[in-house]
Amino acid sequence: MEDTAVDAFLTSSFGTFVMTLWHGVLSAPSWHNFTYLAYGWALAYGRQTITTYLWGSGAAQVKHFSRYYAFLGGALYQRRYQLWARVIRCGATLVPADAVIDVRLDDATMKKSGRHIQGGAHYRNGAGTARQEYRTLWGINLVWAIMRIPLPIWPGHHLSLPIGLELSLKETLAHKLKVPYRSRSALARRIVDHVAAELPTRAIRVATDGGYATQAFLRDLPGNVNVVGRFLLTAKLYQLPPTRVKGQRGAPRKKGAVIGSPKTLATPSPAWQPHPQEAGAFIQSWVGIWHSVFPGRPIRIVVVWRPHCADSPTPSGKKAFGRLKPLEAFFSTEVSLSPHVILETYADRWAMEIDIRDSHAYYGIAQDQCRKFTHIVGANTLRLLMAAGRTLWFIVTSTPQTDVALRRLRPWYRHKVAPSQFDVAWACREVLQEAGIFPIPRFFTAVAENQQEPDKPKLIAA
């Protein structure tokens, strides 16, 4: 029964696409485990644990469930970069050849329970409530990246494609587990380097928040990668070094005169221009060198000044989460970008926050019950890989069609003009149900048995 169900899954449009995408990366026994887990993930809803996948696909009747955890912490953990490479290359084919590939990066703290989880620690959670701008959680910290894929039949809209995942460890914990310690910036840079190596001929633009404005992430970037991020308000910007005069003695200068920091540059001046999307705000741009992070490389910074916020009375207590700040600054390693494009690119970084939310609702991220470091990385990598495969399948399947009804049987979505991960998940579920693919019955096993003879109605006495 289980083999028949898996065969039906493999012959469906979603199963065929997923199996074709990663065919040949894993060995035959590992591929067998991956197939059962992929089948269970596609049918799971609600709380998504590895146990749910094994129960829904009937894999527990094929071999002991511990073998699947060994696969997640073994073969899948070791081959995860090869699996991500297939996703990256496939996603790049859906972006026009002359367009820049947009990548978004961030980290998220996933709340967990239990002191024996390898990777569990206290982390700052910036996604607190309005009353708590910052708080700490006990859990694991995941760093991952997404690629923004344009939708041809919905011009101007995108879907987020996961393209990498890393588990962050604190230094003391990394030494205890005998794992090389890497900061979150180093882990994020590892993902960016992998994407750049897989797409050496494509221009890549990465958008991050201020937590990644560090030397570990920004120095010695690949030649095809540019970064847009938040600039420190106290960081000093210098002019380009002057041209060296012939016969001048001494070492060449590495920086010019001080331009200033965003705090010192926010003074009334005719050079300030109105913000393109925000009334009452002004912007101004400079080109210089951030010597402490980017020695010798010119960058463009854009300062956003809100005088009306600075003049407002300061409320007592902590300020509310998400309140507009009087002064903000952003940078781009691509000097040719206009200030408007820099602001739009950083604003689109919010797509990473939306993907973090969708990962809880539709991917099943961090809902595993395993404790070992490799098992945690393998289980969450499986979920993001399957979410990436489902997103790619939806884009490829929906592109030739023009009758995708986003508001069918949903009259309350009057302004819905583009699909979300909710629509992607439901489209996949509809295709599997149409193909007759359902979870293996858990309790009433007789439900799964095919009736050999057709039902014959019995005569009822009058």
Side-chain angles (χ1 to χ4, degrees):
M1 180 179 62
E2 291 77 14
D3 293 338
T4 304
V6 172
D7 292 341
F9 170 74
L10 295 177
T11 55
S12 64
S13 62
F14 174 67
T16 302
F17 180 87
V18 169
M19 296 300 111
T20 304
L21 178 63
W22 292 302
H23 179 72
V25 178
L26 300 172
S27 62
S30 299
W31 187 252
H32 187 263
N33 296 333
F34 182 82
T35 303
Y36 274 104
L37 291 172
Y39 175 33
W41 179 90
L43 297 176
Y45 60 91
R47 180 167 174 79
Q48 298 190 22
T49 61
I50 300 300
T51 305
T52 304
Y53 305 157
L54 301 180
W55 206 356
S57 62
Q61 301 182 26
V62 178
K63 62 177 68 174
H64 197 267
F65 69 91
S66 62
R67 294 296 87 204
Y68 297 96
Y69 282 97
F71 159 71
L72 293 173
L76 183 61
Y77 176 81
Q78 297 169 3
R79 305 287 294 180
R80 65 188 188 279
Y81 292 110
Q82 288 81 354
L83 296 170
W84 283 123
R86 297 286 185 91
V87 174
I88 294 169
R89 292 195 294 266
C90 184
T93 60
L94 301 177
V95 181
D98 57 342
V100 177
I101 295 179
D102 292 318
V103 175
R104 307 292 178 254
L105 267 167
D106 206 352
D107 60 272
T109 300
M110 306 297 176
K111 184 178 180 180
K112 305 293 288 185
S113 298
R115 299 290 173 173
H116 299 287
I117 298 176
Q118 296 181 355
H122 286 287
Y123 293 97
R124 185 187 68 84
N125 180 31
T129 62
R131 296 181 180 179
Q132 295 176 317
E133 185 175 6
Y134 301 108
R135 64 176 181 177
T136 59
L137 287 178
W138 173 269
I140 60 175
N141 190 262
L142 298 177
V143 181
W144 79 78
I146 59 173
M147 181 188 297
R148 301 287 284 159
I149 306 296
L151 303 176
I153 61 177
W154 295 282
H157 297 277
H158 300 74
L159 275 177
S160 299
L161 177 72
I163 56 174
L165 175 74
E166 298 288 347
L167 175 60
S168 176
L169 296 175
K170 292 193 174 181
E171 188 172 4
T172 56
L173 186 58
H175 295 331
K176 182 179 179 180
L177 298 177
K178 298 181 180 180
V179 177
Y181 169 72
R182 294 183 177 90
S183 63
R184 279 177 288 190
S185 297
L187 293 175
R189 177 60 184 273
R190 190 175 184 177
I191 298 176
V192 172
D193 290 344
H194 185 214
V195 176
E198 294 297 329
L199 306 174
T201 60
R202 301 296 301 269
I204 302 170
R205 186 177 298 157
V206 182
T208 65
D209 61 4
Y212 296 94
T214 61
Q215 298 179 3
F217 181 75
L218 295 175
R219 283 196 177 183
D220 300 325
L221 287 170
N224 60 333
V225 175
N226 284 289
V227 178
V228 174
R230 186 178 290 273
F231 191 77
L232 299 178
L233 296 181
T234 57
K236 291 184 179 180
L237 191 69
Y238 296 86
Q239 294 180 356
L240 300 180
T243 304
R244 185 176 177 82
V245 181
K246 185 178 181 180
Q248 182 178 357
R249 300 178 63 182
R253 294 187 61 179
K254 298 181 179 180
K255 57 185 178 180
V258 178
I259 298 177
S261 64
K263 282 189 174 182
T264 61
L265 295 174
T267 56
S269 169
W272 291 96
Q273 301 294 327
H275 195 286
Q277 297 177 346
E278 184 180 340
F282 301 91
I283 63 173
Q284 191 173 354
S285 176
W286 290 269
V287 176
I289 293 178
W290 191 4
H291 184 70
S292 60
V293 177
F294 274 125
R297 178 168 181 173
I299 63 172
R300 178 178 293 277
I301 71 165
V302 179
V303 179
V304 180
W305 185 29
R306 302 181 180 91
H308 60 283
C309 295
D311 297 337
S312 61
T314 304
S316 60
K318 293 184 177 180
K319 58 184 179 181
F321 178 76
R323 179 175 295 158
L324 291 177
K325 300 176 177 61
L327 188 65
E328 291 182 295
F330 309 94
F331 75 91
S332 171
T333 60
E334 191 174 357
V335 181
S336 60
L337 283 185
S338 65
H340 294 181
V341 175
I342 294 175
L343 295 178
E344 290 177 357
T345 302
Y346 189 83
D348 189 63
R349 193 197 64 83
W350 186 252
M352 185 69 232
E353 308 295 338
I354 299 298
D355 194 68
I356 293 174
R357 182 202 64 182
D358 291 341
S359 67
H360 291 279
Y362 311 116
Y363 305 167
I365 195 72
Q367 296 183 15
D368 48 86
Q369 297 173 323
C370 45
R371 299 178 177 179
K372 291 186 177 181
F373 172 79
T374 56
H375 293 176
I376 295 175
V377 176
N380 291 292
T381 299
L382 170 72
R383 294 185 174 101
L384 287 188
L385 283 171
M386 292 303 302
R390 186 172 61 186
T391 303
L392 292 172
W393 165 85
F394 178 84
I395 297 174
V396 172
T397 305
S398 61
T399 299
Q401 304 179 13
T402 58
D403 59 343
V404 181
L406 296 178
R407 291 179 290 180
R408 180 174 179 267
L409 302 180
R410 292 188 292 178
W412 51 87
Y413 280 168
R414 299 179 180 179
H415 303 289
K416 191 173 183 62
V417 295
S420 61
Q421 286 296 336
F422 174 82
D423 304 303
V424 174
W426 267 104
C428 179
R429 191 173 302 173
E430 289 178 356
V431 168
L432 295 179
Q433 291 178 356
E434 183 182 4
I437 302 171
F438 300 93
I440 299 297
R442 303 179 179 181
F443 301 103
F444 302 103
T445 56
V447 177
E449 297 179 359
N450 297 325
Q451 297 183 2
Q452 300 298 331
E453 298 180 359
D455 293 337
K456 295 181 180 180
K458 296 181 180 179
L459 297 177
I460 303 178

